[in-house]
Amino acid sequence: MARFPNSPAPNLLLRLFSSNKRSSSPTAALLTGDFQLIRHFSAGTAARAAKDDKEPWWKESMDKLRNIGISAHIDSGKTTLTERVLFYTGRIHEIHEVRGRDGVGAKMDSMDLEREKGITIQSAATYCTWKDYKVNIIDTPGHVDFTIEVERALRVLDGAILVLCSVGGVQSQSITVDRQMRRYEVPRVAFINKLDRMGADPWKVLNQARAKLRHHSAAVQVPIGLEENFQGLVDLIHVKAYFFHGSSGENVVAGDIPADMEGLVAEKRRELIETVSEVDDVLAEKFLNDEPVSAAELEEAIRRATIAQKFVPVFMGSAFKNKGVQPLLDGVVSYLPSPNEVNNYALDQMNNEERVTLTGSPDGPLVALAFKLEEGRFGQLTYLRVYEGVIKKGDFIINVNTGKRIKVPRLVRMHSNDMEDIQEAHAGQIVAVFGIECASGDTFTDGSVKYTMTSMNVPEPVMSLAVQPVSKDSGGQFSKALNRFQKEDPTFRVGLDPESGQTIISGMGELHLDIYVERMRREYKVDATVGKPRVNFRETITQRAEFDYLHKKQSGGAGQYGRVTGYVEPLPPGSKEKFEFENMIVGQAIPSGFIPAIEKGFKEAANSGSLIGHPVENLRIVLTDGASHAVDSSELAFKMAAIYAFRLCYTAARPVILEPVMLVELKVPTEFQGTVAGDINKRKGIIVGNDQEGDDSVITANVPLNNMFGYSTSLRSMTQGKGEFTMEYKEHSAVSNEVQAQLVNAYSASKATE
């Protein structure tokens, strides 16, 4: 080891080799071998080398990288804000509005459907540069039906901007999004948008954020004028006024604070320092000693508190009027963390899923997560967030979830739906890869470790619809579309109803499923009819009934003859079997060879009860006697005898209809508790639990599935969009007499029309 004297050589070589470490040439292979040696060595001499070469090669580029998301309630102006960010960072050269009145539409809304409806459906990823910082932005949907997109985006972000409307304030979806950010421990800054609108009141919104979202927050800016008089902003940290000039607000001009605002600015700056000092010890000491706080000290304290998720700095502006966006970008680079300031965990599959903290350095083994899939013009496009190591074009990577070894054919950086090719990407970056078969949530490594990123929280679908293509010819495209949508979106499920033969699609709500039916029509040219899915009822018997039936047919030659005697009875509650058949015949009244045919006949008859044609369960059939004929008896004769015997005794056994009952868990703000509970009773539900969780009531109830259609929509209207519910199958239980009569009449009527 003497050949490496005390010099920067090891780190220099390390830098040289690590950029080569996965190339495929023989020289590089030689270097890679040396690289392992050097890495061991450099660990041993890290302390000495640090004196000469302070930081590893990637440190500066990591410090100047930000992965952020922009999320908010629907229509708070997220996409408009992103459009302005892209314009000011030089990624686009002209601004287009969301609803595409000029026929172009916002850059981030790349699907026709998004431009038409003016809502963001998929989260597009893009990157831009601001003051030599590289910023990856993920534009997320605000509509509650697309929460999986928001969850996936937050899973791979290091920080986020929560956009609030200065008129609407903290709305239902703001609360949901904030809850998701808290779950994934994402530090955030808030941006109060639309200060140019009538009724804009940023201080009301700030107080709402403190009360409803429990944010420990304070404004870092004060607006100069509001509504149509909104002119600019005062920066409370540097105590300067900023005005935005130029046709698109691109020239930021610093000026003096208006004289009539000096008192307000001093008061708000003191409030900011006081709020931050409550969660930052360094600043608290200065504040308690009444020492002056410099802009640099305040900035550092805000950064520490924001990254520790103890404080949320609040910015202001109007994206539509091009005011306040540049200071917000400064805030993003100043207060939100770089990838190496965030702790990410992986699960070690070799060690019983033990949590492993990832170093986040490009020197480590490759660990990357596929967080979004899209079907592009050139095949499947997979969005990857690289957590550790380096990924290069032409490398072999391993999908830990499937164990497959895949070559990276093409690596691109995304800008909404445009892309630019790159040769490699290191830890902290978000890139897209072509031609890799995988599902969303899969983890890729270079094979040296077997880590998976923690599983993403995928909500259960709450809404189902029956769909079928209008024309028989489009069946191939129909199944192709459903397969693609399932791969793209884990909350979209497809199943086949074995009884009705319908294709059932399930998702997060009516809008979610409508969008997929619409996408099927636009992208695959498949028109589909959508119906209410058939509920899987069952039938059962409630008392014992005897049967004694002789099936006799004479038609020249061998006839048919078979007699069965016995009884049917309900199985005891809680039994595992749904159908039991017992042969209790003593002697040879029926030859044993015919017994299986009799059992088959009863099973066939139980497949369709006579009340509404649904399967009959929980019954036991006991055969006690019978008769056979030496010539005319056959398997068919005894099978037919069993079918008719069952039909005859079925009505005497007092059959009832069973319906699926769902266990429904609702989370609603306490003020709506009475309305929601009343509605559950109206739907013939039984409330079995009611707990308090913060400001929310958690209601547990058993409700028949047949009464739950359209519930997501009515719950939203009852709770102003703040209610959430989950629903899972509990059991089948008997319906009331009036419901049974309705179902039987409806079945008879449909039979009569056939």
Side-chain angles (χ1 to χ4, degrees):
M1 286 296 183
R3 60 197 169 116
F4 288 119
N6 189 1
S7 74
N11 273 43
L12 202 112
L13 281 163
L14 176 67
R15 195 182 311 178
L16 183 98
F17 293 153
S18 61
S19 64
N20 260 326
K21 75 177 165 188
R22 287 178 182 76
S23 112
S24 52
S25 69
T27 339
L30 198 107
L31 291 179
T32 314
D34 267 357
F35 171 73
Q36 300 299 332
L37 170 85
I38 290 162
R39 195 152 67 168
H40 279 294
F41 173 78
S42 68
T45 55
R48 277 182 298 152
K51 288 177 193 166
D52 302 288
D53 190 348
K54 296 281 187 298
E55 293 166 339
W57 61 275
W58 44 265
K59 185 85 172 78
E60 191 183 350
S61 74
M62 285 280 267
D63 287 345
K64 300 228 162 177
L65 183 63
R66 299 285 180 274
N67 291 320
I68 63 159
I70 300 179
S71 42
H73 185 84
I74 188 166
D75 248 2
S76 294
K78 294 181 298 295
T79 305
T80 310
L81 174 63
T82 312
E83 197 76 359
R84 301 305 186 269
V85 168
L86 297 179
F87 176 74
Y88 296 133
T89 55
R91 293 294 297 167
I92 55 175
H93 302 298
E94 55 193 66
I95 291 172
H96 296 288
E97 295 318 322
V98 171
R99 284 189 198 265
R101 292 184 185 89
D102 52 3
V104 181
K107 179 75 191 167
M108 299 296 275
D109 285 351
S110 56
M111 284 162 58
D112 295 342
L113 200 58
E114 293 182 334
R115 293 188 179 173
E116 201 172 285
K117 296 203 172 178
I119 60 172
T120 306
I121 296 166
Q122 292 173 306
S123 48
T126 191
Y127 93 105
C128 52
T129 320
W130 178 253
K131 296 184 177 172
D132 57 306
Y133 280 84
K134 287 189 169 61
V135 183
N136 284 313
I137 302 173
I138 304 230
D139 180 30
T140 56
H143 201 288
V144 70
D145 279 332
F146 307 110
T147 48
I148 187 67
E149 291 278 356
V150 183
E151 301 237 347
R152 271 197 230 154
L154 292 180
R155 181 72 186 78
V156 298
L157 297 177
D158 302 322
I161 301 172
L162 179 65
V163 184
L164 300 168
C165 172
S166 65
V167 182
V170 174
Q171 291 157 290
S172 58
Q173 189 65 12
S174 323
I175 298 171
T176 310
V177 168
D178 192 69
R179 192 183 294 145
Q180 289 167 333
M181 286 187 192
R182 200 165 278 144
R183 178 186 296 150
Y184 288 113
E185 298 178 352
V186 178
R188 50 210 175 276
V189 301
F191 179 66
I192 299 178
N193 194 14
K194 304 192 179 184
L195 289 186
D196 58 307
R197 272 185 58 188
M198 286 284 291
D201 185 350
W203 308 113
K204 174 197 80 176
V205 179
L206 181 57
N207 288 329
Q208 279 184 350
R210 287 170 179 166
K212 290 187 180 177
L213 304 176
R214 296 194 181 82
H215 276 182
H216 189 77
S217 57
V220 291
Q221 294 168 337
V222 174
I224 303 170
L226 283 173
E227 299 178 5
E228 66 266 27
N229 304 322
F230 176 51
Q231 293 161 357
L233 297 160
V234 176
D235 181 349
L236 295 177
I237 293 163
H238 300 99
V239 199
K240 276 184 191 163
Y242 290 109
F243 300 93
F244 304 90
H245 297 308
S247 59
S248 302
E250 61 272 24
N251 303 324
V252 183
V253 180
D256 293 329
I257 298 170
D260 59 341
M261 287 186 68
E262 282 175 356
L264 175 71
V265 168
E267 179 202 326
K268 291 292 177 191
R269 188 171 197 266
R270 185 175 172 80
E271 186 186 307
L272 170 67
I273 294 170
E274 188 177 340
T275 313
V276 178
S277 64
E278 284 172 20
V279 290
D280 187 80
D281 298 343
V282 182
L283 195 67
E285 208 170 298
K286 291 210 131 201
F287 178 72
L288 293 171
N289 296 336
D290 256 347
E291 293 174 28
V293 177
S294 72
E297 287 169 334
L298 184 53
E299 245 180 6
E300 280 171 22
I302 293 175
R303 180 174 176 81
R304 283 193 299 270
T306 306
I307 291 174
Q309 296 157 61
K310 292 177 180 170
F311 177 72
V312 178
V314 178
F315 292 81
M316 301 186 184
S318 163
F320 186 64
K321 288 286 193 288
N322 310 315
K323 292 185 169 78
V325 178
Q326 296 96 322
L328 174 67
L329 280 168
D330 290 338
V332 164
V333 298
S334 302
Y335 306 133
L336 290 180
S338 64
N340 50 359
E341 288 173 303
V342 177
N343 285 336
N344 286 304
Y345 299 99
L347 300 177
D348 189 353
Q349 297 300 321
M350 306 288 277
N351 196 0
N352 200 15
E353 290 219 338
E354 196 179 315
R355 273 176 73 152
V356 182
T357 308
L358 297 174
T359 60
S361 88
D363 286 342
L366 171 69
V367 179
L369 174 76
F371 67 95
K372 186 166 180 353
L373 310 178
E374 266 176 31
E375 197 73 35
R377 289 186 299 263
F378 312 106
Q380 185 173 298
L381 183 66
T382 308
Y383 285 87
L384 290 180
R385 157 78 201 256
V386 186
Y387 285 99
E388 194 169 84
V390 177
I391 185 169
K392 291 187 181 180
K393 186 178 168 180
D395 268 2
F396 281 99
I397 57 174
I398 286 169
N399 181 338
V400 179
N401 300 54
T402 62
K404 284 184 183 162
R405 188 163 178 264
I406 309 155
K407 188 175 184 180
V408 180
R410 186 176 169 201
L411 208 55
V412 292
R413 189 181 279 134
M414 291 305 294
H415 176 45
S416 191
N417 62 342
D418 307 336
M419 54 197 76
E420 50 198 85
D421 280 273
I422 52 174
Q423 292 305 307
E424 66 169 33
H426 63 67
Q429 292 184 327
I430 291 176
V431 289
V433 182
F434 269 110
I436 286 184
E437 270 301 306
C438 67
S440 77
D442 284 0
T443 307
F444 293 96
T445 67
D446 55 7
S448 58
V449 288
K450 202 172 180 189
Y451 292 165
T452 55
M453 297 310 295
T454 41
S455 65
M456 292 193 286
N457 184 328
V458 176
E460 281 300 307
V462 292
M463 174 84 206
S464 301
L465 287 175
V467 288
Q468 58 190 64
V470 174
S471 75
K472 293 275 187 287
D473 309 340
S474 50
Q477 286 292 88
F478 177 69
S479 52
K480 196 172 165 188
L482 292 181
N483 283 342
R484 172 185 155 187
F485 297 154
Q486 263 181 296
K487 260 191 176 172
E488 270 182 29
D489 182 353
T491 57
F492 178 76
R493 316 267 172 91
V494 179
L496 197 67
D497 185 336
E499 290 163 22
S500 61
Q502 292 171 306
T503 303
I504 304 280
I505 57 171
S506 314
M508 296 313 296
E510 277 135 307
L511 177 65
H512 188 203
L513 297 175
D514 286 349
I515 294 277
Y516 277 118
V517 172
E518 183 71 7
R519 276 185 67 189
M520 209 183 292
R521 193 171 66 77
R522 286 176 184 241
E523 294 171 36
Y524 288 89
K525 309 283 180 283
V526 176
D527 275 315
T529 51
V530 178
K532 177 180 166 182
R534 175 173 145 173
V535 173
N536 298 336
F537 291 107
R538 296 281 180 270
E539 297 181 26
T540 192
I541 55 173
T542 54
Q543 67 180 35
R544 176 172 158 158
E546 309 283 335
F547 60 82
D548 183 352
Y549 184 81
L550 170 65
H551 176 67
K552 193 164 134 188
K553 207 171 180 185
Q554 203 65 45
S555 56
Q560 290 181 16
Y561 184 96
R563 182 179 178 185
V564 288
T565 308
Y567 58 88
V568 295
E569 62 180 5
L571 282 168
S575 55
K576 287 182 181 171
E577 294 297 319
K578 303 276 168 107
F579 175 92
E580 271 183 25
F581 175 80
E582 204 172 329
N583 175 19
M584 292 180 73
I585 296 179
V586 181
Q588 283 289 316
I590 299 173
S592 54
F594 294 137
I595 301 294
I598 296 172
E599 184 177 352
K600 196 175 174 190
F602 278 120
K603 267 194 179 152
E604 214 167 280
N607 263 342
S608 167
S610 56
L611 290 179
I612 53 168
H614 280 259
V616 184
E617 359 182 277
N618 295 341
L619 82 156
R620 180 165 176 255
I621 295 171
V622 181
L623 194 62
T624 54
D625 200 2
S628 65
H629 186 277
V631 178
D632 290 352
S633 285
S634 65
E635 285 190 358
L636 177 67
F638 276 109
K639 184 179 160 188
M640 296 308 288
I643 290 173
Y644 289 121
F646 182 81
R647 286 183 189 165
L648 270 181
C649 72
Y650 187 61
T651 34
R654 291 202 26 216
V656 292
I657 298 170
L658 303 175
E659 63 180 345
V661 172
M662 311 304 279
L663 179 67
V664 180
E665 192 175 279
L666 300 116
K667 195 172 193 181
V668 296
T670 309
E671 68 257 35
F672 304 114
Q673 183 184 342
T675 323
V676 172
D679 181 70
I680 291 222
N681 290 330
K682 207 165 74 185
R683 292 171 187 269
K684 300 191 172 67
I686 299 163
I687 294 174
V688 290
N690 194 340
D691 295 314
Q692 205 63 23
E693 200 176 279
D695 299 339
D696 295 337
S697 282
V698 179
I699 301 171
T700 320
N702 298 336
V703 193
L705 176 64
N706 209 29
N707 303 340
M708 287 298 286
F709 290 113
Y711 188 64
S712 50
T713 314
S714 57
L715 178 68
R716 260 182 233 158
S717 58
M718 277 186 292
T719 60
Q720 298 169 12
K722 295 174 190 166
E724 293 180 347
F725 81 105
T726 57
M727 180 165 83
E728 59 184 72
Y729 170 75
K730 184 174 185 278
E731 62 187 2
H732 270 78
S733 67
V735 300
S736 63
N737 289 343
E738 66 176 298
V739 174
Q740 179 152 329
Q742 283 171 8
L743 291 168
V744 171
N745 293 340
Y747 178 68
S748 312
S750 70
K751 273 287 189 210
T753 56
E754 278 175 15

